[in-house]
Amino acid sequence: MRSLLKVLTAIVVIVATSVTASAAAAGNPERGAVLADTCLGCHGIPGYRNAYPSYRVPKLGGQHQDYLVLALLGYKSAVRSHPTMQAQSASLSDADMRDLATYFASQGVARQGLGKTNGKIARGKEKTAVCAACHGEAGVSPTPNWPTLAGQHEDYPQQSIAQYQNGGRTR
Amino acid sequence: MMGQVLNLSARDIEDIAAFYAAQKGLFTADYSD
C-alpha cells in the first residue's frame, strides 16, 4: 500500500509539473496581438513580397507556436539570414517571442485537406515522402518544433530550401 | 533538415513547394482575424 501511495504521489507530481511547464510556455495572445502590429506590416498583407530576393513573406496564421519562437531565436542569433527579421528580433525578449508566437498560433487551426491538384503537385506529393515524418503527410506538422507547410506560399519554401542549400539558414 | 534538402534539384523543390501550397493549412493573419 505504501508503495502504491509513493507511485501515485510521483504521478501527481509529474502531472502537476507538466501542467505548470505548459502554462509557463504558453504566451499571452492579447499582448502578442499588440506586439504583432509591426509584424503585420509585412505578414498581414496577403501576397506581400520580400524586396530582394523577391518572394512572398510566409503566412503565419495557424503556424505552431514553438516553431515560431525557434524561428525568431534563429533570426536573433543570426543563424537565419534576413536583415529585417534580424533587426526586428534583436529587441524581442523571450516573453515577447512567446506572446507573438501564441498570437499567431491562436489565429486558427490549420485545416487539413488537399485542394487543387495537377501533375506538378502529384510529383511533389511523391517527393515529400521523406518530409512527412516531421512536416506531416499533408504538410500539417504533428510536431510543434517543425513548421506546418500546408497552404504556405509556393515561393517561400523554395526560398527556405535554397537558403539551407547555400548556408543562409542552418535551422 | 540540412541533409534532407541538400541534394534536391530545382525541379524537386518546385514540385515539393507546389504540393504544400496546394494543401489547406496556413493563412495570412491580418487585422480582421
Side-chain angles (χ1 to χ4, degrees):
Chain A
M1 185 65 186
R2 182 172 287 179
S3 298
L4 180 61
L5 271 176
K6 281 185 180 177
V7 170
L8 287 174
T9 302
I11 290 172
V12 168
V13 168
I14 290 168
V15 169
T17 304
S18 300
V19 169
T20 303
S22 296
N28 178 335
E30 288 79 20
R31 184 169 178 273
V34 174
L35 291 169
D37 263 358
T38 303
C39 316
L40 292 174
C42 296
H43 293 282
I45 300 173
Y48 187 86
R49 301 189 78 85
N50 187 67
Y52 183 81
S54 179
Y55 60 89
R56 283 168 290 182
V57 302
K59 298 176 185 177
L60 301 181
Q63 187 56 273
H64 285 304
Q65 174 195 335
D66 289 0
Y67 167 73
L68 290 173
V69 169
L70 288 172
L72 287 168
L73 287 170
Y75 288 117
K76 188 172 185 176
S77 62
V79 297
R80 281 186 176 217
S81 62
H82 188 285
T84 303
M85 284 304 303
Q86 289 176 350
Q88 294 292 341
S89 59
S91 60
L92 295 176
S93 68
D94 289 352
D96 292 340
M97 292 182 190
R98 276 199 306 275
D99 292 348
L100 279 168
T102 302
Y103 165 69
F104 283 114
S106 71
Q107 296 296 295
V109 176
R111 297 165 297 150
Q112 295 192 51
L114 180 64
K116 62 182 179 182
T117 189
N118 58 31
K120 190 177 190 181
I121 294 168
R123 286 195 304 275
K125 180 172 176 55
E126 290 177 16
K127 294 174 181 177
T128 56
V130 71
C131 316
C134 298
H135 293 290
E137 190 176 347
V140 178
S141 171
T143 310
N145 283 358
W146 291 91
T148 284
L149 300 176
Q152 190 55 275
H153 292 304
E154 194 167 342
D155 44 0
Y156 183 69
Q158 290 177 352
Q159 169 67 17
S160 302
I161 292 172
Q163 282 193 319
Y164 282 116
Q165 291 184 332
N166 67 24
R169 184 190 285 201
T170 57
R171 74 179 186 192
Chain B
M1 180 67 195
M2 293 285 288
Q4 302 293 348
V5 302
L6 286 180
N7 295 321
L8 292 175
S9 68
R11 184 172 181 186
D12 291 339
I13 295 169
E14 281 185 18
D15 292 345
I16 288 169
F19 168 72
Y20 284 128
Q23 312 306 306
K24 295 176 182 174
L26 299 172
F27 55 91
T28 300
D30 61 33
Y31 293 101
S32 63
D33 285 330

